[in-house]
């Protein structure tokens, strides 16, 4: 375990980041969320017990691990409180291990209404957001009018800012979207109660993380969503509103770039996407259905069905390069057991002129077709395997093919949902 590791999803989210962070956090002192909000759903399975985390970092199951929410995170008061209460009912007290930066933006009920109203107005072209108010909250942050956790502690100024902001939201909701408005007094009451709840957890997480780093402690930065959902580098406009990539880990935690020793990229052995937007390797057929049922591909936050398709090495290679990924963890290999052959997308053909292209943030994924390389599948079960040597020959070949194509080693392979179902002995 390196002193400071960043764990990033390299696809459209749900790669298994939560499982991997929980595993590597066993040897860490701190785990940090640095972007996104409760749009994330990170699943941890330990000894048949399942936890789905949305805002709380995936190190929380380890008693000695400090959990940080850096300034890049957006926080829904109800979601944070609900998640902490639920976890405490199962784990006992955890609040003394949670630290929240005062610059985190607050998701207001009117942000959620705006998110829903915008999606509704878009109709068929909607993004398919999680409906958690993420986009509108980041909009207000970048417009420099958003409410931050630290604002709660100057109540007079805070109420004035909140009134102005909710009045503006209500104007949009009523006059532009012709939908219901939000009761300003209800918002104030909610924030006042939240202020008391959150106060003991608010501290300068940037300084605390630097101090940990300087004293040689080990830190894991936990990404949410994935590279293709990045606001700048992803499949715009079908993306989330935060920097899911390596840059977000720096600005959202406050740690300097030199402090990062390892960038562990997480990718599924195939690809999934939840929400709308182009997906070149999507299999809207029996293959996709099989991946869906075998991989239990339902969203951990919204319960929506995830779309499924073959591994897209063109997009994966780009995500590895742009994020400076040093090593890869391939998850859900077991879902591919039993396929006679396994396809991997190794090239995009540009629709219209047929020229080949790679993926970059300027690629319009709706205008490319996937070209595949066919590899032999395996019939043996890889489910819950923990030793590299025990993998079927063709599964090993699959891993080697991926490594050769993307140019970084696969150091970890996940073979089942539980913490234990992981291969880490590959040298
Ligand atoms: P995250 O958002 O990246 O943390 O991923 P999610 O938790 O949303 O989705 C991953 C899903 O796959 C969860 O239900 C995990 O329990 C499950 N999972 C993770 N790794 C594996 C694996 O290697 N094999 C199988 N079959 N399931 C896995
Ligand atoms: P984790 O961390 C998969 C997707 C939504 C939608 C788009 C924008 O569990 O991998 P938003 O509500 O963020 O404005 O929605 O992003 N999305 C995710 N997809 N996993 C996630 O998180 C996601 N978070 C957002 O489905 O397409
Ligand atoms: Mg998820």
């Amino acid at each position: 375990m390196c002193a400071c590791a960043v764990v990033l999803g390299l696809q459209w989210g749900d790669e298994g980041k939560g499982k991997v962070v929980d595993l590597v956090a066993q040897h860490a002192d701190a785990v940090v969320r640095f972007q996104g909000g409760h749009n994330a759903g990170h699943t941890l399975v330990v000894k048949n017990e399942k936890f789905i985390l949305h805002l709380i970092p995936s190190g929380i199951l380890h008693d000695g691990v400090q959990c940080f929410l850096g300034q890049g995170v957006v926080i829904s008061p109800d979601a944070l409180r609900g998640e902490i209460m639920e976890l405490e009912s199962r784990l006992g007290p955890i609040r003394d291990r949670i630290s929240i930066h005062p610059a985190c933006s607050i998701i207001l009920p009117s942000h959620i209404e705006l998110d829903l109203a915008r999606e509704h107005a878009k109709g068929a072209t909607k993004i398919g957001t999680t409906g958690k108010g993420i986009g509108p909250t980041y909009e207000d942050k970048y417009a420099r009018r958003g409410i931050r956790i630290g604002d709660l502690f100057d109540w007079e100024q805070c109420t004035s800012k909140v009134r102005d902001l909710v009045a503006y939201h209500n104007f949009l909701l009523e006059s532009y979207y012709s939908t219901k408005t939000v009761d300003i007094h209800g918002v104030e009451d909610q924030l006042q109660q939240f202020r008391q709840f959150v106060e003991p957890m608010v501290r300068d997480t940037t300084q605390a993380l630097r101090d940990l780093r300087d004293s040689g402690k080990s830190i894991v930065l936990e990404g949410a969503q994935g590279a293709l959902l990045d606001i700048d580098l992803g499949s715009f406009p079908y993306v989330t509103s935060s920097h899911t990539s390596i840059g977000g880990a720096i600005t959202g935690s406050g740690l300097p770039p030199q402090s990062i020793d390892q960038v562990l990229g997480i990718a599924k052995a195939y690809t999934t996407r939840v929400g709308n937007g182009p997906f070149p390797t999507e299999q809207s057929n029996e293959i996709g259905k099989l991946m869906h049922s075998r991989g239990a591909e339902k969203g951990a936050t919204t319960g929506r069905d995830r779309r499924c398709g073959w591994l897209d090495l063109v997009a994966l290679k780009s995500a590895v390069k742009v994020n400076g990924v040093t090593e890869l963890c391939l998850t859900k290999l077991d879902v591919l057991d039993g396929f006679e052959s396994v396809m991997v997308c190794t090239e995009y053909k540009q629709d219209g002129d047929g020229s080949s292209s790679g993926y970059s943030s300027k690629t319009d994924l709706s205008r490319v077709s996937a070209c595949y390389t066919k590899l032999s599948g395996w019939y043996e079960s890889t489910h819950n395997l923990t030793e590299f040597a025990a993998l079927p020959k063709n599964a090993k070949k699959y891993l080697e093919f991926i490594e050769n194509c993307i140019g970084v080693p696969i150091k970890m392979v996940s073979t089942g949902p539980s913490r234990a179902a992981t291969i880490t002995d590959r040298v």
Side-chain angles (χ1 to χ4, degrees), residues 14 41-42 306:
D14 304 328
H42 296 177
R306 296 177 183 147

Side-chain angles (χ1 to χ4, degrees), residues 285-296 308 335 337-339:
N285 53 29
E286 290 308 311
I287 291 169
K289 277 191 199 147
L290 202 58
M291 290 170 172
H292 179 273
S293 64
R294 301 193 51 190
C308 298
V335 175
D337 295 350
F339 280 97

Side-chain angles (χ1 to χ4, degrees), residues 13-19 41-45 50 268 294-297 300 306 331-335 383 414-417 421:
D14 304 328
E15 297 89 351
K17 299 174 291 293
K19 170 187 161 155
H42 296 177
T43 314
L44 282 48
V45 180
K50 184 166 159 176
K268 272 182 196 174
R294 301 193 51 190
E297 294 295 355
R306 296 177 183 147
T331 60
K332 305 191 88 159
L333 184 70
D334 54 306
V335 175
H383 192 57
S414 173
T415 56

Side-chain angles (χ1 to χ4, degrees), residues 164-320:
D164 283 352
L165 188 57
V166 175
Y168 169 63
H169 290 165
N170 278 342
F171 171 75
L172 290 173
L173 289 166
E174 187 169 25
S175 306
Y176 191 79
Y177 292 109
S178 308
T179 186
K180 66 174 188 228
T181 56
V182 163
D183 171 30
I184 174 68
H185 300 296
V187 177
E188 280 178 25
D189 289 348
Q190 182 206 35
L191 292 180
Q192 200 156 25
Q193 285 172 28
F194 181 60
R195 181 171 63 147
Q196 284 169 15
F197 177 82
V198 82
E199 191 167 13
M201 294 179 275
V202 177
R203 63 187 65 106
D204 183 350
T205 59
T206 300
Q207 190 57 50
L209 287 168
R210 282 204 204 121
D211 291 346
L212 283 173
R213 183 74 180 94
D214 290 346
S215 58
K217 302 286 188 202
S218 154
I219 301 170
V220 180
L221 294 147
E222 175 181 10
Q225 292 81 50
L228 291 165
L229 289 170
D230 184 278
I231 184 74
D232 281 330
L233 301 163
S235 51
F236 190 86
Y238 296 97
V239 292
T240 190
S241 298
S242 66
H243 296 283
T244 62
S245 302
I246 191 73
I250 307 296
T251 56
S253 72
L255 281 168
Q258 307 91 296
S259 64
I260 291 168
D261 304 296
Q262 179 191 23
V263 183
L264 175 59
I266 317 291
K268 272 182 196 174
Y270 51 101
T271 310
T272 62
R273 175 163 208 176
V274 59
N276 293 335
F279 179 178
T281 63
E282 183 167 16
Q283 297 297 302
S284 311
N285 53 29
E286 290 308 311
I287 291 169
K289 277 191 199 147
L290 202 58
M291 290 170 172
H292 179 273
S293 64
R294 301 193 51 190
E297 294 295 355
K298 277 212 182 277
T301 296
T302 56
R304 289 178 294 175
D305 286 321
R306 296 177 183 147
R307 300 150 65 192
C308 298
W310 295 117
L311 185 63
D312 183 343
L313 284 181
V314 179
L316 187 61
K317 197 170 171 176
S318 155
V320 163

